[in-house]
Amino acid sequence: MTATTPASETEALPDKGAKKRDIEIIRVKDYTTEVVTDSGEGAQKCSQIFASVSAKSGNGVWSVEIIPAEIQPPARTPASASGNRIRIATEAVTNWGDSANLVMAFNEQVLLARHRMDALAEDAVILIEDMWKNHDDPDIRKEWEEAMEEMSHRSYQFVLVPMEEECLKIVENPRKGKNMFALGILAWIYSRDLAKIREIIAELFKRKSKEIYDNNVALLDLGYKWADENLDFKIDIPTIESEVPRVVMNGNQAIGFGAIAAGMELCSMYPITPATSASHHLGDIIEKFGGIVHQAEDEIAAVGVAIGASFAGKVAFTITSGPGLALKTEFIGLAIMTEMPLVVVDVQRGGPATGLPTKVEQGDLLASIFGQPGDAPHVVFAPATMEECFLCMTTARRIAEAFRCVVMVLTDANLATGQQPFPRPDLKSEWMAAPPDLMAVPEGTLPYDWDSQLGLSQRVIPGQPGGMHVVTGLSHDENSKIGYSPEVHERGCQMRARKMAVFQQTLKRPEVHGDDSGDLLVVGWGSTWGAIEEAVDRARDDGLKVSSLQLRFLSPLEPGLKDIFSKFKKVMTVEISYSDDPNDPFITDENRRRGQLSWLLRAQTLVDVDCWTRVPGQPLRPMNILQAIRDHMPNGVKK
Amino acid sequence: MTECSLLGCGQDEDQYYSIQDYEGGIPRWCPGCGDLAVLTAVEKLLEAEQLAPEKTVFVSGIGCSSRFPHYLKTYGFHGLHGRALPVATGVKLRRPDLHVFAVMGDGDCCSIGAAHWIHTTRYNTNIVALLLDNGVYGLTKNQTSPTSPEGYPSNTQPRGAVLRPMNPIATTLGVTNASFVAQTGDWIPDHLYETISAGFRHKGFAFIRILQRCPQYTTPLFDEAVRNPDLVEFMVHPNGIPMNGLEQIYKHQIPHDPSDLDNGRRLAEPDGRFRLGLFYHNDSIPCLEEVRQQPLRTAEEKIELLNAELDRYAV
């Protein structure tokens, strides 16, 4: 709580008992809401608060941002659609679901964008700003009519809301404020606690003036009151009392908190979407913990500074996205060659090049594993949930230090901006990095005193008497002396590779979701976990013999895959990366470009792993995966 | 300070280090290479300042000069072409207790690593940066560098360097927060030593351009100046680099107060002689590691603080 929160609740709230209308209570276990506005109208804030208060009310939640690439694209165009999808359920939610059941739209053009994406349920309830329908400008009225015509084949249920008219009662420019009015309406529909919402608003606006807070709360209350007087339905999504305390946050916040919980005191970064919000979050709090966010002059310097800190005994991390990862490639190779512990977080977006800056893709998998010239063994793994984003940073630091290696953590835009509640981590001091040990080592201690069997060696850091040495990116022996002989280079390569084999031996065999044998095994990685398992569960309910496997460790791969695969007639990856459709022109089995995980699994297991992949710039929907499962069943499936 | 959190520090205060204690591998530079003079000056400095070898870090890039750390017995980081400064900044940011030097060549600093040069100047990290400028890419066998003289024939520009050379001193003096900018020559060992020594004692980013002979490729560059002291001009001032009797040999001297940035910038422009000395010095500019230093926390304190943060996200 902050000082700006009002001490008492003096606003007169509508008296629910005074209603004359019949209110229909729609009780559902799983319901998806979208808020969609012109960019800059505050849909994100409205949605974040709604998602957060829904989680705090005890519901399962998964939210996903719908973000245009520009800050202010032309208003009232489909390209301007900015917003958020919030899936709310009785039980835990693991993905954004199929279609939106209720939409709050600030104009018909942004709604049209969602309609064209086929994002809305057949019978979706649509609350829409009514000012455009009878607008003074005939062009706008025409656009409205055409949009309605285009959507008329669906059974959408429209509710016209006089947003502008109502908001003008409180603010001069409703463009800044409609979002809170909308939030008030949502709060009424979903029976959310206004006091909790006010708390969240106070937190979000803690750096703004009291007047701004007051206006926002007045608009919130106005929306609530309008809904109470005018709407005739409410949505009730029952909650299940959680047995454990929970927190709700997005994946980037979780990464930031996780880094602090891991005891890392330096995040060295350069701004890049969608990774940057993690640095915003960290920048806000890390100094309290004795750490800093260093915004370097470029992506290369960002990783260089992290490596320097790590060399000096303070393991640091750098966070980036695809284009930044490409720039960091040489330095990452150097960290591998010098066996410098380093954590690199890649919040993936669509690629190649600048690609889709704000949108999700899993296209960095192979680049992250094989990006460096030469043989550059390192660890690559991918969290699948917000909770894993939090916990993985400790894992990453520990692996990096224990194995003197680079650990890459692959998340994506889906995890980065989506919110999900999860059990509150029970913080432990042993998660934290120990202070650098500067005790003297015997004169002549080798900087790479490799155990021939394990490839592991003890690290010596500056400040330790007796251990002076020069690390080098050149081929070197155990004394870090430059050597170009076949023996030196081959031994170094062998030792750096060997420790990764040792690391792989510490991994657990992954668990199959569903039966251990069957017709089809779907394999995914990272943030697609929830959508894949939901689709598999539905397919299994339909009697299909399908199971799934979600990989966390991509390099080295988790053990037992070949054996697991052998129990299924067919194995297929589901990925958000590009692959050729086998039915496309010129595509043959020889030249087909496959999903990145399927390349990897085929190479490593010699199993003929098929793939179904899409690059829509959005998370996958369970219903699309379900259809892909049906289409790819080895024996064929009747629809 | 960071020391309190570091296990085992502060030992052996009484130990005396001789030159031999700082000597690493046998240098493999060409006979007559100016790098050797710089190495000698640096070893002399380490001894004079009695820097504990384990608390001293030399970071370098790639090139002839970047072999430098291998020939010392301190900690060293021989990294990537152009990227010595980010690594050095990382070391200093988290371990301000260490003495950090960055050794770069002209290709390293002024070409591929130019962004880091500009920005580290602005960060004013407390690092001694030695630019060993021989006006050519030597290790890769004679390619044009940003400081190669116009017309210098190399393997990449065999009919002569097509552009005028860049001026690293003027460039550095143009950067916000430049705090120590000096120029010296490898063939004047006393001035070389005094310049590096002044740079070491400076709190902030000490940028020292060392005009340096390459016996293999750019011999003509400084040959005449080595033989003829009239081709060298020293900037002199009580707050400048001590002359230690050099004024007997070098007749051309120009008074320059190193706190005068405008005059320093004027003097950075070439006018026929190699101008050596301290162009600018300002000890009052904060260092990045000071600006960013936060009180360190114990694991228990961090957990308490983090739990308080998580309360705000509690369901």
Side-chain angles (χ1 to χ4, degrees):
Chain A
M1 283 303 301
T2 63
T4 52
T5 306
S8 62
E9 312 294 346
T10 52
E11 294 88 342
L13 293 182
D15 177 3
K16 292 190 186 66
K19 277 190 286 289
K20 297 179 184 71
R21 292 161 293 128
D22 285 336
I23 307 283
E24 184 195 357
I25 309 277
I26 303 165
R27 185 155 292 153
V28 283
K29 285 185 150 182
D30 188 344
Y31 204 74
T32 299
T33 307
E34 284 192 5
V35 180
V36 53
T37 72
D38 274 337
S39 187
E41 286 189 308
Q44 302 303 345
K45 249 194 186 116
C46 166
S47 309
Q48 281 160 16
I49 298 170
F50 178 58
S52 180
V53 74
S54 297
K56 290 182 181 210
S57 308
N59 281 123
V61 172
W62 184 284
S63 71
V64 174
E65 287 185 4
I66 303 155
I67 322 173
E70 298 84 16
I71 304 281
Q72 295 281 4
R76 285 187 43 77
T77 62
S80 176
S82 167
N84 211 298
R85 171 182 282 201
I86 311 109
R87 185 180 179 192
I88 303 172
T90 298
E91 292 177 31
V93 187
T94 62
N95 67 86
W96 78 334
D98 293 331
S99 315
N101 305 103
L102 183 143
V103 183
M104 176 76 70
F106 285 19
N107 68 59
E108 81 290 348
Q109 296 302 315
V110 293
L111 175 68
L112 202 53
R114 302 303 295 157
H115 166 79
R116 287 174 181 168
M117 298 285 259
D118 199 23
L120 315 180
E122 181 63 34
D123 59 350
V125 176
I126 293 164
L127 295 124
I128 186 164
E129 160 74 89
D130 73 352
M131 67 180 284
W132 315 111
K133 189 182 178 204
N134 301 311
H135 201 272
D136 292 342
D137 184 339
D139 289 345
I140 290 179
R141 291 201 303 272
K142 187 157 170 274
E143 283 167 7
W144 171 282
E145 275 163 30
E146 283 169 359
M148 291 300 152
E149 175 63 28
E150 187 177 335
M151 293 184 279
S152 63
H153 64 285
R154 307 295 290 262
S155 317
Y156 299 151
Q157 306 166 61
F158 285 93
V159 179
L160 298 179
V161 184
M163 298 185 192
E164 180 93 358
E165 190 184 320
E166 287 288 318
C167 291
L168 279 170
K169 293 175 183 170
I170 292 176
V171 286
E172 280 175 23
N173 176 14
R175 198 177 149 78
K176 304 265 180 217
K178 248 182 221 181
N179 61 338
M180 291 294 133
F181 180 79
L183 179 61
I185 295 176
L186 292 175
W188 185 85
I189 293 175
Y190 294 89
S191 306
R192 297 303 178 209
D193 183 349
L194 283 179
K196 273 188 185 157
I197 295 179
R198 286 194 203 100
E199 277 179 27
I200 301 171
I201 293 176
E203 175 67 31
L204 276 176
F205 292 92
K206 65 184 173 187
R207 297 217 179 91
K208 303 275 169 68
S209 69
K210 171 92 167 62
E211 191 194 346
I212 290 179
Y213 168 81
D214 288 344
N215 270 345
N216 275 289
V217 168
L219 286 159
L220 170 78
D221 291 342
L222 185 69
Y224 194 96
K225 180 162 166 280
W226 182 89
D228 190 52
E229 287 167 358
N230 293 283
L231 295 182
D232 59 1
F233 70 97
K234 279 183 168 243
I235 310 291
D236 178 24
I237 307 161
T239 57
I240 297 175
E241 189 75 16
S242 173
E243 287 159 21
V244 293
R246 296 186 305 160
V247 287
V248 57
M249 63 183 70
N250 68 37
N252 271 357
Q253 289 165 332
I255 289 275
F257 278 137
I260 290 172
M264 287 193 275
E265 290 168 351
L266 176 64
C267 167
S268 181
M269 50 71 69
Y270 184 79
I272 186 167
T273 303
T276 313
S277 67
S279 312
H280 295 178
H281 173 60
L282 263 179
D284 203 25
I285 59 172
I286 196 172
E287 293 180 5
K288 279 192 259 191
F289 298 87
I292 57 167
V293 172
H294 173 66
Q295 181 178 327
E297 59 271 26
D298 57 35
E299 293 278 2
I300 295 172
V303 64
V305 167
I307 289 172
S310 183
F311 170 68
K314 297 266 198 172
V315 175
F317 80 108
T318 185
I319 183 163
T320 190
S321 189
L325 184 68
L327 286 165
K328 293 179 195 299
T329 298
E330 189 188 15
F331 249 134
I332 291 171
L334 178 75
I336 293 166
M337 187 61 146
T338 55
E339 306 195 40
M340 207 59 72
L342 175 70
V343 177
V344 179
V345 180
D346 173 16
V347 185
Q348 298 167 98
R349 64 195 222 181
T354 317
L356 297 173
T358 60
K359 297 184 189 299
V360 65
E361 203 165 295
Q362 297 181 308
D364 295 354
L365 177 60
L366 294 182
S368 68
I369 300 175
F370 300 115
Q372 286 68 43
D375 186 51
H378 60 285
V379 175
V380 177
F381 76 86
T385 63
M386 312 317 169
E387 182 180 23
E388 289 180 15
C389 284
F390 190 110
L391 299 174
C392 77
M393 293 302 279
T394 294
T395 311
R397 184 191 57 74
R398 281 180 164 174
I399 296 169
E401 289 197 303
F403 290 85
R404 293 184 71 170
C405 68
V406 172
V407 178
M408 282 199 205
V409 178
L410 298 188
T411 72
D412 58 40
N414 186 21
L415 291 172
T417 61
Q419 294 194 79
Q420 187 195 28
F422 57 88
R424 179 174 174 142
D426 182 16
L427 308 172
K428 294 184 171 60
S429 59
E430 59 263 32
W431 290 3
M432 303 262 176
D437 176 358
L438 299 187
M439 298 301 281
V441 294
E443 197 72 30
T445 295
L446 296 172
Y448 301 102
D449 190 14
W450 292 307
D451 179 301
S452 298
Q453 290 292 307
L454 305 173
L456 295 169
S457 55
Q458 186 66 42
R459 197 156 75 100
V460 181
I461 60 169
Q464 289 191 271
M468 284 77 77
H469 64 275
V470 180
V471 299
T472 175
L474 289 165
S475 194
H476 52 265
D477 62 15
E478 50 267 87
N479 202 15
S480 201
K481 291 294 170 221
I482 299 168
Y484 304 131
S485 72
E487 294 76 24
V488 166
H489 189 58
E490 288 185 342
R491 177 119 200 276
C493 285
Q494 193 182 47
M495 291 296 99
R496 289 185 294 275
R498 181 71 52 78
K499 64 183 179 181
M500 288 296 100
V502 172
F503 170 69
Q504 192 266 354
Q505 298 276 322
T506 69
L507 296 177
K508 278 189 276 195
R509 182 185 162 111
E511 277 182 33
V512 173
H513 176 75
D515 293 329
D516 284 339
S517 63
D519 291 337
L520 177 67
L521 178 71
V522 173
V523 189
W525 69 279
S527 73
T528 53
W529 167 71
I532 289 175
E533 289 203 351
E534 189 169 326
V536 164
D537 288 344
R538 288 191 213 166
R540 291 174 63 81
D541 287 346
D542 291 351
L544 302 186
K545 290 187 173 135
V546 55
S547 301
S548 66
L549 186 67
Q550 197 73 5
L551 295 174
R552 263 53 169 199
F553 284 89
L554 287 322
S555 180
L557 279 165
E558 292 161 38
L561 296 184
K562 194 163 184 170
D563 183 50
I564 292 169
F565 293 179
S566 71
K567 308 289 191 330
F568 292 85
K569 286 184 189 155
K570 181 171 177 170
V571 181
M572 176 180 82
T573 65
V574 166
E575 308 173 51
I576 316 179
S577 73
Y578 181 77
S579 66
D580 289 325
D581 188 311
N583 299 317
D584 278 350
F586 304 108
I587 303 305
T588 68
D589 197 46
E590 274 188 342
N591 70 12
R592 183 183 177 200
R593 297 180 59 78
R594 297 166 197 277
Q596 298 196 3
L597 180 61
S598 81
W599 281 120
L600 199 61
L601 296 177
R602 292 166 70 90
Q604 200 76 20
T605 65
L606 289 180
V607 173
D608 186 7
V609 178
D610 197 359
C611 61
W612 179 83
T613 77
R614 289 292 180 270
V615 281
Q618 304 171 14
L620 299 177
R621 298 183 206 181
M623 66 180 190
N624 299 128
I625 300 173
L626 177 61
Q627 189 57 49
I629 289 171
R630 292 174 182 284
D631 294 346
H632 287 81
M633 291 303 287
N635 309 323
V637 177
K638 294 183 293 276
K639 288 220 175 155
Chain B
M1 277 305 286
T2 324
E3 265 95 335
C4 58
S5 75
L6 304 174
L7 302 174
C9 63
Q11 299 169 339
D12 285 343
E13 296 291 344
D14 301 333
Q15 184 166 351
Y16 180 82
Y17 301 103
S18 68
I19 285 267
Q20 287 73 32
D21 289 321
Y22 300 105
E23 284 176 353
I26 295 164
R28 294 199 189 174
W29 291 310
C30 304
C33 174
D35 290 343
L36 291 154
V38 182
L39 181 65
T40 304
V42 164
E43 286 174 348
K44 192 175 156 194
L45 172 82
L46 295 175
E47 188 201 22
E49 299 290 340
Q50 281 296 296
L51 301 187
E54 70 271 14
K55 299 202 76 174
T56 308
V57 178
F58 280 81
V59 183
S60 66
I62 293 295
C64 291
S65 57
S66 290
R67 293 299 176 99
F68 205 94
H70 290 282
Y71 307 141
L72 289 167
K73 201 184 168 193
T74 64
Y75 281 92
F77 193 111
H78 178 206
L80 299 181
H81 193 32
R83 318 293 175 205
L85 291 174
V87 173
T89 296
V91 172
K92 197 70 188 173
L93 261 182
R94 295 325 289 168
R95 290 287 304 280
D97 59 306
L98 298 172
H99 310 293
V100 183
F101 295 77
V103 185
M104 301 166 286
D106 38 308
D108 229 10
C109 176
C110 307
S111 193
I112 192 169
H116 313 311
W117 162 36
I118 304 295
H119 286 276
T120 311
T121 303
R122 182 168 154 254
Y123 298 151
N124 197 36
T125 326
N126 192 2
I127 294 169
V128 181
L130 304 177
L131 166 58
L132 278 58
D133 189 351
N134 59 6
V136 71
Y137 287 71
L139 190 67
T140 49
K141 314 278 189 286
N142 196 22
Q143 293 84 26
T144 307
S145 108
T147 57
S148 298
E150 190 173 5
Y152 168 73
S154 74
N155 283 330
T156 43
Q157 298 187 354
R159 284 165 295 285
V162 296
L163 296 175
R164 293 200 296 155
M166 80 185 295
N167 181 338
I169 294 291
T171 305
T172 312
L173 287 169
V175 178
T176 307
N177 284 348
S179 64
F180 183 102
V181 183
Q183 181 155 275
T184 182
D186 78 67
W187 64 93
I188 312 169
D190 207 55
H191 192 261
L192 174 65
Y193 169 78
E194 290 292 352
T195 308
I196 298 173
S197 174
F200 173 74
R201 276 179 268 116
H202 167 66
K203 185 182 71 63
F205 185 66
F207 180 80
I208 301 169
R209 182 192 188 201
I210 303 168
L211 304 177
Q212 196 211 299
R213 291 166 295 174
C214 173
Q216 196 68 30
Y217 300 117
T218 48
T219 322
L221 206 52
F222 307 115
D223 240 20
E224 253 188 289
V226 172
R227 286 196 299 268
N228 180 3
D230 280 353
L231 296 179
V232 175
E233 180 178 73
F234 281 98
M235 293 173 289
V236 292
H237 191 270
N239 297 330
I241 307 297
M243 290 295 283
N244 300 350
L246 287 172
E247 56 270 33
Q248 308 295 325
I249 306 166
Y250 294 91
K251 303 277 166 33
H252 295 281
Q253 293 161 28
I254 181 167
H256 168 57
D257 178 350
S259 68
D260 185 346
L261 180 58
D262 282 346
N263 198 45
R265 283 175 175 158
R266 254 191 311 278
L267 293 172
E269 293 307 320
D271 71 344
R273 292 193 178 85
F274 294 109
R275 191 169 282 144
L276 308 184
L278 187 53
F279 288 89
Y280 184 60
H281 186 205
N282 182 347
D283 244 337
S284 67
I285 299 173
C287 305
L288 182 71
E289 67 273 23
E290 288 175 343
V291 176
R292 304 306 312 273
Q293 188 73 11
Q294 303 298 330
L296 294 179
R297 303 286 187 185
T298 64
E300 287 68 31
E301 286 171 333
K302 286 181 182 176
I303 288 176
E304 196 181 323
L305 287 162
L306 191 49
N307 270 321
E309 287 293 330
L310 288 181
D311 285 345
R312 294 162 52 205
Y313 294 79
V315 167

